């Protein structure tokens, strides 16, 4: 299928590329965040009360010691340990407040610590959070305890923190690397030597971590085909189980620090595409399975197996192997999905703290999903995860014929078929290898809100 026939995006004709290269959502949620609105505490409480096991939990740790200029995440610059201690005590308040609303001690199957940089927290603070989670939830059947790691934060103590993470039970780790070239690193203000990356990776292996992921970004300043080929070779010499190869999401209207990256230092769209195409081709040749646009996994990794078995899932963090139907988000800006209602916490620390001080849940925005939303969400996430839609399954789930429900978008589907992104069978829609690459474009066809959301809210598809 898509990964045995090597599709080379650089062979795309310029006209089609221009057509597909648009600002598009990544569909880590549907409807996407710009279509959410104010969510009251009482509505969020109602949905928390109605929850049943199993759950996923997301904990947001926003702190970073320095700001990488490209960063699009929710980050708070901080170098003072007392601020981290304070944050953890509020995280504890929030967990306790939420747990009082849950019907019982809920079973949790997956926990993800994201950021910012969760490994910015000291070992005792990480221990405090894990201990509270153990007393609040039932973690006996947990499958994934995942954490995002900045290698620069675990090298200072010669690996003691990494060892501690293993002892705490973390079994899925992801390292941020982005690019190994010194000139690129200087331009993004992220200096991370190859030694730092190699040392942390090999130590993690020695400690017995498996399913290790490494994050890379293409489209950064001063990147060239030759320089990024070296980055890919550096990463391949470690042979991580998974590689995330993200397109640089340039969103300066949301992240003003990105303006410090001068436009003339960025690769052109054509060069960016060539960097991506070359990297994709190399990774596939070296035994990685390409999953959609930005994920690569060794055939031995469970993510590759989930792709083949069509059991891959998509949540706020991107593709994942495990996902409970409900996820509670804790921490500033954290997002959850409870009882078919998206809920996002307050985005600034003073309001997050003040709301918890008053004994209230720090929720601010969200979206209760209607029947139509659930239908569109299923179609979009099925397409993103399985790269096909089974019309019979659609009928058995929603009691309406796929072709009837989506008759108004038939022209757009035909258009995608003509462009070689899609094959339409009577019972199925199948994304081609080109369609897998541009699956976000295909998904927009089924997004009932896209017309309402200004397109500038999203980053470009490539
Ligand atoms: C929260 S960070 C990872 C953990 C840690 N803070 C680090 O940087 O090593 C998650 C990942 O998001 C990706 N990322 C951040 N900003 C991005 C952007 N503007 N475009 C594309 N990817 C981005 C990076 O690959 C980064 O490793
Ligand atoms: S990429 Fe990671 S370390 Fe850099 S600012 Fe963003 S969250 Fe912090």
């Amino acid at each position: 299928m898509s990964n045995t026939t090597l599709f080379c995006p650089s062979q795309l004709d310029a006209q089609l590329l221009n057509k597909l290269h648009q600002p598009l959502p990544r569909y880590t949620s549907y409807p996407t965040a710009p279509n959410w609105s104010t969510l009251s505490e009482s509505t969020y409480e109602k949905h928390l009360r109605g929850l049943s096991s199993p759950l996923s939990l997301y904990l947001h740790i926003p702190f970073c010691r320095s700001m990488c200029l490209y960063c699009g995440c929710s980050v708070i610059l901080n170098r003072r340990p007392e601020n981290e201690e304070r944050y953890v005590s509020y995280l504890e308040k929030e967990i306790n407040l939420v747990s009082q609303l849950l019907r019982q001690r809920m079973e949790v199957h997956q926990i993800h610590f994201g950021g910012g940089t969760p490994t910015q927290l000291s070992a005792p603070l990480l221990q405090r959070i894990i201990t509270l989670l153990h007393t609040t939830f039932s973690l006996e059947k947990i499958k994934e305890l995942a954490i995002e790691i900045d290698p620069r934060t675990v090298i200072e103590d010669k690996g003691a923190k990494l060892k501690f993470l293993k002892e705490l039970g973390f079994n899925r780790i992801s390292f941020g690397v982005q690019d190994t070239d010194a000139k690129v690193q200087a331009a993004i203000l992220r200096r991370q030597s190859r030694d730092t990356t190699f040392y942390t990776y090999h130590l993690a292996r020695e400690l017995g971590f498996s399913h290790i992921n490494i994050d890379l970004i293409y489209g950064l300043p001063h990147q060239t085909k030759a320089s990024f080929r070296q980055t890919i070779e550096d990463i391949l010499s470690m042979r991580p189980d998974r590689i995330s190869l993200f397109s640089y999401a340039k969103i300066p209207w949301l992240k003003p620090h990105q303006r410090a990256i001068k436009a003339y230092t960025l690769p052109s769209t054509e060069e960016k595409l060539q960097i991506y195409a070359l990297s994709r081709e190399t990774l596939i040749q070296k035994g990685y399975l390409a999953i959609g646009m930005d994920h690569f996994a060794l055939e031995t990794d469970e993510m590759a197996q989930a792709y083949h078995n069509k059991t891959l899932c998509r949540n706020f963090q991107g593709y994942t192997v495990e996902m409970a139907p409900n996820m509670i988000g804790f921490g500033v800006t954290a997002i959850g999905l409870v009882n078919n209602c998206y809920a996002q916490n307050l985005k600034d620390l003073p309001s997050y703290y003040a709301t918890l001080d008053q004994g209230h849940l720090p929720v601010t925005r969200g979206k209760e999903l209607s029947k139509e939303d659930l239908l569109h969400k299923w179609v979009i996430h099925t397409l993103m995860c399985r790269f096909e839609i089974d019309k019979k399954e659609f009928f058995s789930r929603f009691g309406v014929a796929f072709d009837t429900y989506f008759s108004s978008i038939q022209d757009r589907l035909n258009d995608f078929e003509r462009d070689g992104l899609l094959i339409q069978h009577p019972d199925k829609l199948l994304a081609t290898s080109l369609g897998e690459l541009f699956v976000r474009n295909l998904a927009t066809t089924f997004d009932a809100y896209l017309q309402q959301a200004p397109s500038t809210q999203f980053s470009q598809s490539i």
Side-chain angles (χ1 to χ4, degrees):
M1 287 253 306
S2 64
N3 289 288
T4 50
T5 52
L6 270 190
F7 174 75
C8 180
S10 57
Q11 290 160 359
L12 258 183
D13 82 70
Q15 210 182 347
L16 181 56
L17 178 60
N18 273 338
K19 186 169 160 186
L20 299 174
H21 185 48
Q22 296 166 10
L24 296 175
R26 294 180 64 236
Y27 291 113
T28 52
S29 72
Y30 179 85
T32 55
N35 298 298
W36 303 356
S37 51
T38 305
L39 187 77
S40 70
E41 183 186 18
S42 58
T43 305
Y44 185 38
E45 273 183 15
K46 176 187 78 184
H47 290 297
L48 285 169
R49 284 202 170 93
L51 276 183
S52 53
S53 293
L55 296 179
S56 294
L57 308 179
Y58 173 77
L59 290 98
H60 190 75
I61 313 294
F63 303 115
C64 292
R65 214 173 274 176
S66 62
M67 180 66 85
C68 310
L69 290 183
Y70 59 83
C71 185
C73 307
S74 296
V75 171
I76 296 171
L77 268 184
N78 177 55
R79 294 195 182 91
R80 294 166 63 179
E82 63 271 27
N83 289 340
E84 290 159 11
E85 207 281 334
R86 184 162 187 232
Y87 184 77
V88 169
S89 65
Y90 278 88
L91 210 50
E92 289 169 331
K93 273 188 199 202
E94 190 189 357
I95 294 170
N96 286 326
L97 212 54
V98 166
S99 73
Q100 287 162 24
L101 298 166
L102 302 178
R103 278 194 296 223
Q104 76 233 41
R105 196 161 166 269
M106 297 269 181
E107 213 172 84
V108 169
H109 283 187
Q110 187 202 32
I111 304 178
H112 188 106
F113 282 67
T117 301
T119 45
Q120 192 65 51
L121 296 185
S122 65
L125 289 179
L126 285 165
Q127 169 82 70
R128 251 171 70 179
I129 302 174
I130 293 289
T131 304
L132 179 62
L133 293 177
H134 271 284
T135 51
T136 311
F137 300 97
S138 156
L139 304 188
E140 283 77 35
K141 293 191 187 155
I142 189 156
K143 292 171 189 154
E144 280 194 15
L145 183 53
I147 189 160
E148 295 169 8
I149 297 177
D150 179 341
R152 298 170 300 171
T153 59
V154 291
I155 188 137
E156 298 151 352
D157 59 9
K158 306 224 172 345
K161 194 181 279 175
L162 210 51
K163 195 161 172 245
F164 189 65
L165 292 177
K166 184 84 180 131
E167 285 163 14
L168 283 178
F170 283 93
N171 59 5
R172 298 287 182 281
I173 56 174
S174 177
F175 291 122
V177 175
Q178 331 310 347
D179 193 305
T180 58
D181 184 84
K183 189 171 176 191
V184 176
Q185 291 189 1
I188 57 176
L189 291 190
R190 183 185 177 114
R191 287 171 214 274
Q192 180 173 324
S193 70
R194 285 189 176 89
D195 283 354
T196 299
T197 301
F198 287 11
Y199 174 82
T200 39
Y201 178 83
H202 290 298
L203 185 66
R205 280 281 182 232
E206 266 170 42
L207 290 170
F209 282 106
S210 52
H211 310 292
I212 300 178
N213 177 75
I214 287 188
D215 289 339
L216 299 176
I217 303 182
Y218 66 97
L220 292 176
H222 301 300
Q223 269 179 357
T224 62
K225 276 186 284 178
S227 77
F228 205 65
R229 184 198 294 263
Q230 184 59 52
T231 291
I232 293 285
E233 274 174 22
D234 289 341
I235 299 307
L236 281 172
S237 72
M238 294 182 281
R239 212 158 171 75
D241 307 273
R242 301 174 191 174
I243 296 170
S244 302
L245 178 58
F246 297 120
S247 164
Y248 168 41
K250 195 174 163 211
I251 42 174
W253 58 92
L254 293 177
K255 304 288 166 186
H257 56 262
Q258 290 186 347
R259 296 205 173 100
I261 297 180
K262 299 287 167 245
Y264 71 87
T265 62
L266 292 172
S268 65
T269 303
E270 292 70 35
E271 177 141 35
K272 189 176 173 188
L273 185 73
Q274 283 173 8
I275 293 171
Y276 173 73
L278 204 72
S279 311
R280 181 183 172 94
E281 216 170 296
T282 309
L283 292 174
I284 293 172
Q285 276 166 358
K286 297 291 178 186
Y288 284 83
L289 178 83
I291 299 172
M293 177 126 193
D294 43 26
H295 283 60
F296 296 84
L298 285 177
E299 283 289 354
T300 45
D301 188 75
E302 58 184 7
M303 186 168 273
Q305 282 146 25
Y307 169 88
H308 290 308
N309 301 338
K310 301 194 183 301
T311 53
L312 204 62
C313 310
R314 194 155 175 84
N315 64 12
F316 306 110
Q317 284 76 50
Y319 286 113
T320 170
V321 173
E322 279 298 323
M323 193 170 87
N326 293 293
M327 173 183 272
I328 306 180
F330 295 106
V332 68
T333 76
I335 300 177
L337 174 65
V338 291
N339 232 5
N340 290 326
C341 174
Y342 287 115
Q344 178 165 31
N345 275 349
L346 287 157
K347 294 182 187 174
D348 70 292
L349 220 42
S351 335
Y352 173 77
Y353 288 163
T355 309
L356 282 165
D357 276 337
Q358 289 157 12
H360 291 293
L361 291 170
V363 67
T364 174
R365 279 167 61 77
K367 175 92 182 158
E368 293 182 277
L369 302 188
S370 67
K371 266 190 191 160
E372 285 73 31
D373 291 335
L374 289 170
L375 180 153
H376 287 262
K377 177 174 183 275
W378 183 85
V379 171
I380 287 178
H381 279 187
T382 304
L383 190 58
M384 301 281 297
C385 294
R386 300 190 208 162
F387 306 100
E388 65 176 38
I389 297 165
D390 183 331
K391 296 182 187 178
K392 284 187 185 156
E393 187 178 350
F394 177 89
F395 181 77
S396 69
R397 277 177 183 269
F398 301 105
V400 51
F402 181 89
D403 292 337
T404 311
Y405 189 87
F406 288 110
S407 60
S408 64
I409 59 162
Q410 189 55 53
D411 286 350
R412 290 190 65 194
L413 296 178
N414 295 345
D415 201 27
F416 279 128
E417 190 160 34
R418 268 194 303 277
D419 286 337
L421 274 75
L422 190 69
I423 298 170
Q424 300 187 69
H425 292 295
D427 291 337
K428 261 186 187 174
L429 293 187
L430 270 177
T432 62
S433 55
L434 179 62
E436 282 202 22
L437 203 55
F438 289 98
V439 69
R440 286 160 69 183
N441 297 65
L442 291 177
T444 58
T445 319
F446 301 98
D447 184 337
Y449 291 84
L450 201 64
Q451 305 312 320
Q452 299 163 28
S455 57
T456 49
Q457 304 242 18
F458 306 111
S459 59
Q460 295 278 350
S461 61
I462 296 165

